[in-house]
């Protein structure tokens, strides 16, 4: 997953309507005085670190100096400054030019970006009630701020003037793209609407900002709320030592020494489902998981989700689109909902057939286990794990000792070194976003500084679940000077306990490589404009650099380089990785059905054509029945915890992972043909994909790299669905 810090448009803009500035500043002032008592305690001699250079190596944020009280005043000032900058552009007496309008607008708002990047990374990884309150208060204010820029008539006239004269400007491709995108963003932001409709749009945007923030906060609370506490050792039946150890460690951390605690965090939940022979307890934790946000309490997300969907239709309709999906997809490679459905239908039937075969095998296992009745969703993980052991003599317990986190990380760095010549040096003199995080300086092959990379691996209550990449500073060039990126990778892997280091499952190893692929996209960016740099590409293209990295994990020569037993240092035995290879299609029916059902559900919510607020659960089950989802498999994300689409940037975009799978499988074929570490192929991938950001059309970039259109056969073959 890739988490864009700016859920709202990352266009740096402002607004110049003075009255509105006053209004918003009043709202902010009220917010501060009414809800944040700490603000009052700030004395004049306290210096807000955002108002001067950080004075740290590479100007990384001064995490050691930044306090919660600094955010509101800094954002308030940043909004004011941003507005003044927009005012300067609008009031420029000279005729509009690319430089004095398009480029000037792109460069504006740098303070706001600087503060927001720190703030939103922090609310994702180390939040607290105070930060969440600030985020909720800020959501409508920032939404209004950006609307005031996009709906600024005088500014739009200047942009339009430049745009209409584009043929005569002699712009390079990146400048052309910046102009094109800027103009389109205004149009898509409502610049051509009449004033009444603009007023409605503002309200819709503000409510959406509040609702999506609330959705994410609720989900975090729900993840933390559920606790399966075991105090009778007999209830641990089936759990291997590493799972018991995690349970013991989590219980201790929660003040429940001597007991075992299992939570809805993936490193706790999944092994429990895979190994616990206690069917009732599996059911309990499974039901806890699939009912997150659906407990009819203060953190219920059902009505929020359906309200968000209705507001999105309203917005799409205002802007002249039939549905939200049409509005979103216009900017993606897929272009239309029909293209998305075509892709999903390509895999859906084959995946269902495969999943039904898998189900039959699991039912036999269950029968042999002496359990009568129907195979239930909470049985799938358990019997799949048993079957995997039986068929391939392979399970996570056997593999994990070979995947010690730091050894895997080194293996990952080595892959980047062989492909792109990068080297990584851990630094201990740079402030970190959290004490558990690591910081690396990244060098290009000629030894020049390329980027700063933070890595934050372990779960905690203040951190959202899942894995993602984000940035504290995107790469850009200002007056010929290269501004290097500051990137972060956030994971939720098992923490080291006692003498046992953090040991990963094979899937977690792939996740690490996946996020590292996003990080490379951010770190190797070589663009001029921040708005187009790094991962600022269309949603269905952004998963190509991440997913392609997962391919190297499956290659014996790569795996052997880092998979070493954490106790003995012995490399993974050849027969083990042969088993890994042999089992690569195992349970793929399940995985593909679980995923594709979620992609369908996303499209269902976003191809609604009216603004009726639906009853969430009956809508969901109706839509999943339509595609014939089998009852033994629960959609990967049910609506109340589908944060990708209701809190993140993947609405009408969850299909992107599958779309990008076509691209990554096809792109990796180039490495298979020429060599896993073939320099020319790697350099071409770097030059055409990783360095280019969103400066050119993604399909054009892809074809430049591959020399042909992408084909779906390699993806189908990899999944065993051809
Ligand atoms: Zn991703």
């Amino acid at each position: 997953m890739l988490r864009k810090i700016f859920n709202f448009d990352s266009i740096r803009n402002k607004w110049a309507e003075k009255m509105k500035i006053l209004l918003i500043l009043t709202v902010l002032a009220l917010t501060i005085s009414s809800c944040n008592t700490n603000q009052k305690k700030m004395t004049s001699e306290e210096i807000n670190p955002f108002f001067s250079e950080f004075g740290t190596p590479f100007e990384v944020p001064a995490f050691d100096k930044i306090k919660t009280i600094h955010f509101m005043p800094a954002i308030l000032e940043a909004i004011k400054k941003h507005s003044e900058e927009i005012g300067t552009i609008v009031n420029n007496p000279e005729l509009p030019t690319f430089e004095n309008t398009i480029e000037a607008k792109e460069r504006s708002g740098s303070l706001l970006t600087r503060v927001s990047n720190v703030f939103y990374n922090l609310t994702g990884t180390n939040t607290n009630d105070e930060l969440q309150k600030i985020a909720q208060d800020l959501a409508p204010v920032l939404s209004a701020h950006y609307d005031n820029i996009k709906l600024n008539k005088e500014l739009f006239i200047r942009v339009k003037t430049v745009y209409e004269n584009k043929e005569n400007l002699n712009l390079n491709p990146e400048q052309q793209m910046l102009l094109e995108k800027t103009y389109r963003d205004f149009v898509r932001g409502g610049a051509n609407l009449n004033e009444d409709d603009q007023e409605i749009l503002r309200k819709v945007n503000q409510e959406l900002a509040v609702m999506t923030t609330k959705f994410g906060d609720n989900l975090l609370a729900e993840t933390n709320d559920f606790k399966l506490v075991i105090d009778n050792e007999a209830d641990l039946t089936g759990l291997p030592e590493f799972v018991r150890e995690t349970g013991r460690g989590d219980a201790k951390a929660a003040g429940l020494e001597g007991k075992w605690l299992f939570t809805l965090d993936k490193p706790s939940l999944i092994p429990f489902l895979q190994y616990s022979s206690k069917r009732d307890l599996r059911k309990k934790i499974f039901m806890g998981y699939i009912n997150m946000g659906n407990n009819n309490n203060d953190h219920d997300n059902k009505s929020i989700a359906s309200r968000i969907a209705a507001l999105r239709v309203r917005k799409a309709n205002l802007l002249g689109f039939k549905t939200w999906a049409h509005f979103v997809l216009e900017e993606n490679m897929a272009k239309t909902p029909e293209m998305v459905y075509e892709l999903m239908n390509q895999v859906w039937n084959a995946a269902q057939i495969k999943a039904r075969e898998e189900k039959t095998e699991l039912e036999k296992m269950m029968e042999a286990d002496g359990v009568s009745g129907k195979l239930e969703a909470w049985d799938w993980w358990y019997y799949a794990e048993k079957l995997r052991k039986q068929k391939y003599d392979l399970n996570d317990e056997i593999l994990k000792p070979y995947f010690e986190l730091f050894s895997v990380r080194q293996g990952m760095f080595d892959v980047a070194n062989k492909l792109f010549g990068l080297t990584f040096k851990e630094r201990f003199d740079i402030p970190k976003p959290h004490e558990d995080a690591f910081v690396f300086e990244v060098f290009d092959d000629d030894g020049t500084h390329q980027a700063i990379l933070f890595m934050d691996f372990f779960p905690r209550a203040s951190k959202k679940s899942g894995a993602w990449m984000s940035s504290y500073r995107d790469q850009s060039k200002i007056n010929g000077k290269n501004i290097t990126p500051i990137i972060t990778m956030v994971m939720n892997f098992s923490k080291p306990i006692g003498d046992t280091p953090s040991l990963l499952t094979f899937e977690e190893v792939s996740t690490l490589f996946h996020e590292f692929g996003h990080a490379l996209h951010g770190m190797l960016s070589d663009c001029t404009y921040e708005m187009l740099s790094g991962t600022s590409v269309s949603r269905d293209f952004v998963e190509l650099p991440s997913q392609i990295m997962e391919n190297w994990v499956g290659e014996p020569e790569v795996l052997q380089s880092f998979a070493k037993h954490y106790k003995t240092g012995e490399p993974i035995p050849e027969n083990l990785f042969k088993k890994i290879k042999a089992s690569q299609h195992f349970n793929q029916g399940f995985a593909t059905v679980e995923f594709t059902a979620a992609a369908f559900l996303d499209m269902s919510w976003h191809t609604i054509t009216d603004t009726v607020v639906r009853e969430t659960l009956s809508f969901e089950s109706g839509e999943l029945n339509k595609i014939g989802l089998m009852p033994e498999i629960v959609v990967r994300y049910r609506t109340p915890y589908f944060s990708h689409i209701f809190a993140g940037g993947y609405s009408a975009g969850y299909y992107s992972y599958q779309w990008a799978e076509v691209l990554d499988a096809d792109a990796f074929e180039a490495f298979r043909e020429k060599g896993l570490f073939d320099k020319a192929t790697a350099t071409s991938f770097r030059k055409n994909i990783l360095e280019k950001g969103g400066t050119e059309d993604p399909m054009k970039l892809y074809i430049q790299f591959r020399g042909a259109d992408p084909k779906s056969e390699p993806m189908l073959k990899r999944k065993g669905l051809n």
Side-chain angles (χ1 to χ4, degrees):
M1 177 180 191
L2 167 104
R3 185 159 291 177
K4 286 302 282 184
I5 288 307
F6 283 95
N7 272 340
F8 34 88
D9 268 283
S10 53
I11 336 275
R12 340 271 161 231
N13 297 292
K14 341 355 217 308
W15 84 101
E17 294 161 79
K18 297 275 161 56
M19 289 311 288
K20 271 165 188 149
I21 298 175
L22 279 174
L23 181 71
I24 284 177
L25 293 185
T26 312
V27 171
L28 276 169
L30 284 172
T31 305
I32 288 167
S33 58
S34 65
C35 63
N36 200 338
T37 48
N38 279 348
Q39 297 290 349
K40 291 177 190 158
K41 293 181 198 145
M42 197 168 79
T43 55
S44 56
E45 61 269 22
E46 272 188 84
I47 295 155
N48 192 320
F50 288 113
F51 293 151
S52 54
E53 294 210 335
F54 291 127
T56 54
F58 311 103
E59 268 298 287
V60 305
F63 296 109
D64 48 343
K65 298 204 180 76
I66 297 168
K67 305 265 169 354
T68 302
I69 50 164
H70 296 135
F71 287 111
M72 254 306 181
I75 289 176
L76 192 136
E77 177 63 22
I79 288 177
K80 193 170 143 237
K81 207 162 164 231
H82 195 186
S83 310
E84 286 163 8
E85 287 162 358
I86 288 292
T88 307
I89 298 171
V90 169
N91 297 323
N92 191 333
E94 288 167 33
L95 288 173
T97 63
F98 179 81
E99 288 73 20
N100 76 20
T101 302
I102 307 300
E103 206 169 52
K105 182 179 155 296
E106 206 273 338
R107 300 294 189 212
S108 71
S110 58
L111 180 61
L112 187 51
T113 306
R114 189 167 182 248
V115 187
S116 304
N117 281 355
V118 177
F119 181 69
Y120 288 105
N121 271 307
L122 205 60
T123 56
T125 56
N126 198 20
T127 194
N128 57 46
D129 291 347
E130 237 175 306
L131 284 171
Q132 284 182 313
K133 179 78 177 88
I134 296 174
Q136 281 166 21
D137 291 340
L138 274 176
V141 176
L142 281 169
S143 167
H145 172 60
Y146 286 103
D147 273 346
N148 282 329
I149 296 165
K150 274 193 242 170
L151 301 176
N152 181 320
K153 274 203 187 65
E154 293 145 297
L155 183 60
F156 181 53
I157 290 168
R158 288 185 73 96
V159 168
K160 201 173 175 180
T161 307
V162 180
Y163 181 76
E164 283 169 351
N165 191 33
K166 63 182 174 179
E167 308 304 332
N168 309 316
L169 299 177
N170 200 18
L171 301 175
N172 69 34
E174 184 172 355
Q175 290 170 325
Q176 287 170 33
M177 185 60 94
L178 182 70
L179 174 57
E180 188 72 40
K181 277 212 70 132
T182 305
Y183 176 74
R184 273 213 314 268
D185 281 338
F186 270 94
V187 174
R188 289 170 59 81
N192 281 330
L193 299 182
N194 65 44
E195 273 181 25
D196 289 349
D197 284 348
Q198 286 189 346
E199 209 40 55
I200 300 171
L201 183 64
R202 282 173 196 275
K203 290 200 176 109
V204 169
N205 283 341
Q206 285 183 33
E207 194 181 343
L208 272 173
V210 174
M211 289 283 176
T212 49
T213 307
K214 185 89 182 107
F215 188 99
D217 289 350
N218 283 346
L219 185 52
L220 181 63
E222 286 280 279
T223 314
N224 290 332
D225 267 3
F226 181 92
K227 287 181 174 63
L228 175 63
V229 181
I230 292 179
D231 44 19
N232 178 359
E233 201 163 353
D235 285 339
L236 301 174
T237 314
L239 299 181
E241 190 44 40
F242 82 89
V243 183
R244 293 175 182 222
E245 224 172 288
T246 306
R248 212 164 20 234
D250 286 348
K252 194 178 167 192
L256 298 164
E257 188 131 20
K259 298 183 181 182
W260 295 266
L261 171 64
F262 296 92
T263 68
L264 301 181
D265 283 322
K266 287 282 165 80
S268 184
L269 169 77
I270 301 296
F272 194 90
L273 289 173
Q274 285 173 321
Y275 295 109
S276 173
S277 344
K278 293 294 229 180
R279 199 181 185 205
D280 55 333
L281 293 180
R282 287 202 311 266
K283 181 178 177 181
K284 197 171 172 187
I285 199 165
F286 189 81
M287 295 307 280
Y289 181 71
I290 66 166
N291 283 309
M292 287 189 298
N294 178 29
N295 290 308
N296 301 315
N297 56 14
D298 286 351
H299 301 128
D300 198 284
N301 271 336
K302 292 194 287 290
S303 58
I304 294 182
S306 50
R307 180 72 185 149
I308 289 173
L311 287 165
R312 283 172 175 166
V313 184
R314 184 79 181 103
K315 177 168 173 173
N317 289 168
L318 273 172
L319 295 166
F321 294 85
K322 200 172 142 199
T323 71
W324 179 255
H326 285 89
F327 173 69
V328 169
L329 293 169
E330 186 194 52
E331 292 288 284
N332 282 6
M333 290 176 89
K335 301 290 176 226
T336 63
E338 290 71 31
M339 283 295 285
V340 174
Y341 281 117
E342 191 184 312
L343 171 76
M344 295 196 300
N345 287 330
Q346 245 185 9
V347 298
W348 181 245
N349 288 338
Q352 288 252 86
I353 292 168
K354 194 141 193 296
R356 284 198 198 97
E357 290 165 11
E358 290 165 6
K359 182 190 137 190
T360 309
E361 281 188 289
L362 298 184
E363 280 168 345
K364 280 185 200 143
M365 295 282 311
M366 193 164 109
E367 220 178 286
D369 207 19
V371 181
S372 57
K374 219 168 131 295
L375 182 90
E376 300 284 356
W378 49 89
D379 298 320
W380 193 295
W381 292 88
Y382 179 69
Y383 288 106
E385 200 51 38
K386 271 193 185 298
L387 185 63
R388 182 153 80 123
K389 180 80 172 56
Q390 186 189 338
K391 269 191 163 172
Y392 306 100
D393 189 24
L394 196 66
N395 64 19
D396 284 336
E397 200 185 0
I398 298 170
L399 289 175
K400 277 174 76 115
Y402 294 97
F403 298 132
E404 191 273 312
L405 172 61
F406 298 132
S407 175
V408 176
R409 184 178 69 187
Q410 188 55 48
M412 186 175 84
F413 288 164
D414 291 344
V415 168
N417 179 264
K418 282 188 185 162
L419 288 171
F420 310 117
L422 303 178
T423 50
F424 299 78
K425 183 172 173 263
E426 188 165 7
R427 299 271 305 235
F428 299 94
D429 55 339
I430 293 179
K432 300 187 290 188
H434 187 274
E435 57 180 8
D436 283 354
F438 298 85
V439 51
F440 285 84
E441 183 178 359
V442 185
F443 301 91
D444 204 354
D445 56 356
D446 62 0
T448 54
H449 172 83
Q450 184 75 31
I452 288 293
L453 177 62
F454 292 114
M455 294 176 152
D456 181 0
F457 292 118
F458 308 120
R460 49 182 171 264
S462 60
K463 190 182 193 179
K464 289 183 174 155
S465 60
W468 66 90
M469 163 271 189
S470 178
S471 62
Y472 285 94
R473 183 175 71 209
D474 290 316
Q475 182 272 336
S476 67
K477 285 173 200 154
I478 296 176
N479 301 326
K481 185 174 182 270
N482 189 31
I483 309 295
T484 54
I486 302 170
I487 302 297
T488 182
M489 291 167 63
V490 185
M491 311 283 144
N492 277 287
F493 294 153
S494 313
K495 246 188 155 164
I497 300 171
D499 292 340
T500 315
S502 176
L503 301 174
L504 308 185
T505 64
F506 187 69
E507 204 188 321
E508 287 173 329
V509 174
S510 299
T511 302
L512 187 62
F513 272 68
H514 176 107
E515 299 307 333
F516 187 58
H518 284 311
L520 288 169
H521 201 185
M523 295 192 295
L524 295 180
S525 174
D526 188 18
C527 306
T528 301
Y529 303 112
E530 198 180 340
M531 182 176 156
L532 302 174
S533 83
T535 55
S536 301
V537 300
S538 71
R539 184 58 76 203
D540 48 7
F541 190 60
V542 80
E543 298 299 333
L544 164 63
S546 52
Q547 288 179 178
I548 195 169
M549 292 309 294
E550 296 178 39
N551 290 282
W552 275 274
V553 181
E555 295 299 322
E557 66 168 288
V558 178
L559 205 57
Q560 273 178 316
S561 74
F562 66 77
K564 300 196 169 81
H565 198 284
Y566 80 99
K567 276 186 183 154
T568 63
E570 167 218 0
I572 190 165
E574 204 178 323
N575 74 322
L576 258 189
F577 73 69
K578 277 191 177 149
K579 287 177 191 174
I580 294 177
K581 265 277 169 224
S583 68
Q584 89 178 356
H585 292 158
F586 178 71
N587 212 29
Q588 274 300 301
F590 170 86
T592 311
V593 165
E594 191 199 29
F595 172 87
T596 312
F600 274 116
L601 182 59
D602 169 29
M603 290 303 286
S604 295
W605 277 114
H606 296 116
T607 48
I608 289 173
T609 53
D610 59 59
T611 54
V612 176
V613 175
R614 265 108 181 131
E615 203 290 293
T616 295
L617 295 186
S618 55
F619 177 76
E620 177 183 287
S621 61
E623 292 300 306
L624 295 173
N625 281 341
K626 264 190 219 164
I627 55 168
L629 177 63
M630 51 205 277
E632 295 81 4
I633 299 179
V634 174
V635 59
R636 186 158 178 181
Y637 297 99
R638 296 188 67 203
T639 304
Y641 54 92
F642 206 163
S643 62
H644 282 82
I645 68 167
F646 291 111
Y650 285 77
S651 59
Y654 197 65
Y655 77 91
S656 298
Y657 293 97
Q658 211 155 61
W659 182 276
E661 269 189 73
V662 174
L663 300 179
D664 92 72
D666 185 67
F668 192 67
E669 286 298 300
F671 287 95
R672 272 197 216 287
E673 289 155 16
K674 301 277 171 48
L676 279 187
F677 294 103
D678 179 61
K679 264 277 165 241
T681 310
T683 305
S684 169
F685 192 75
R686 175 174 177 166
K687 295 281 166 211
N688 288 306
I689 310 282
L690 298 176
E691 288 185 357
K692 282 284 178 3
T695 58
E696 288 181 51
D697 174 69
M699 191 54 95
K700 185 175 163 230
L701 292 176
Y702 187 83
I703 294 169
Q704 273 171 22
F705 161 69
R706 191 67 176 105
D709 285 333
K711 295 172 191 65
S712 57
E713 284 76 19
M715 180 271 286
L716 294 169
K717 191 172 154 218
R718 190 170 66 188
K719 286 178 176 296
L721 296 177
N722 54 340

